[in-house]
Amino acid sequence: MGGVPSISIYVNELIQSYDVQNLIRVGTCGAIQKDVKVRDVILASTSSTDSQMNRMVFGGIDYAPPTASFHLLKNAYDTGLEKGLSLRVGNVFTSDSFYRDNTKELLILLDQYNILAIEMETTALYTLAAKFNRNALSVLTVSDHMITGEETSSEDRQTTFNDMIEVSLEAAIK
Ligand SMILES: O=P(O)(O)O[C@H]1O[C@H](CO)[C@@H](O)[C@H]1O
Ligand SMILES: O=c1cc[nH]c(=O)[nH]1
């Protein structure tokens, strides 16, 4: 999608111009934990980050952790189970960098602290949803594995990524 600055514009405008109540991000992520597989669907219950956004907003306070709406999370979880998806719920890491020099060291740290996967937007979505008292959820399909190097093919992306879209739409209307 384009990272924290980009999603922050979308979320601010969806809320302030269109009064959107439920914001669900569907996107991809790179798995970190060994038992998270490509094509798994991750429901981000919470998000850690290296983005400066929350530091700018909260100064010295660690506003943590930005969290999903329980209602949307539960609906998405129930729907995903009904559809037989391989679902994971947990902490994701929202990074400001896709390419970085210290990837190896970062992955060891994130793995040790049970972070499931890396992506680039969830923290901003959850923090803004909290600010405006809206419901938010990130639903992420694992497109590649940061440790094993396994990747989804373009056919995979077209077919399996539909599952997370269906889960998200049903979670919003349940
Ligand atoms: O699948 P999308 O939504 O684009 O999200 C992921 O893919 C992008 C990186 O290629 C980042 O924005 C990351 O969060
Ligand atoms: O490895 C990945 C895959 C998707 N999105 C990311 O930010 N990283």
Side-chain angles (χ1 to χ4, degrees), residues 31-172:
I32 297 170
Q33 304 283 323
K34 283 200 192 70
D35 63 344
V36 177
K37 308 293 181 204
V38 294
R39 292 179 288 277
D40 282 0
V41 173
I42 295 182
L43 306 177
S45 53
T46 184
S47 151
S48 304
T49 190
D50 61 8
S51 163
Q52 287 297 307
M53 177 188 159
N54 281 8
R55 297 209 178 128
M56 287 191 291
V57 175
F58 296 101
I61 298 170
D62 271 341
Y63 176 69
T67 44
S69 144
F70 179 72
H71 173 72
L72 291 180
L73 180 64
K74 182 177 183 305
N75 287 351
Y77 185 75
D78 291 346
T79 306
L81 281 189
E82 280 162 24
K83 288 183 182 298
L85 300 188
S86 178
L87 276 183
R88 300 297 302 256
V89 179
N91 198 351
V92 301
F93 187 76
T94 298
S95 179
D96 270 352
S97 308
F98 186 79
Y99 299 107
R100 57 185 81 70
D101 293 332
N102 66 335
T103 301
K104 199 171 161 213
E105 295 79 3
L106 178 67
L107 291 177
I108 290 169
L109 184 69
L110 299 183
D111 183 21
Q112 185 180 356
Y113 282 84
N114 295 320
I115 291 183
L116 299 177
I118 299 191
E119 54 81 74
M120 300 177 71
E121 289 85 11
T122 298
T123 286
L125 170 64
Y126 288 1
T127 298
L128 287 167
K131 176 181 177 185
F132 292 104
N133 196 24
R134 305 299 157 107
N135 306 308
L137 177 65
S138 273
V139 181
L140 307 164
T141 298
V142 177
S143 58
D144 53 86
H145 201 293
M146 306 289 291
I147 309 291
T148 66
E150 193 186 354
E151 290 179 339
T152 44
S153 63
S154 49
E155 291 80 28
D156 272 338
R157 288 169 193 244
Q158 278 171 6
T159 50
T160 62
F161 289 9
N162 280 337
D163 291 336
M164 72 176 158
I165 295 171
E166 286 176 16
V167 162
S168 303
L169 291 172
E170 288 185 36

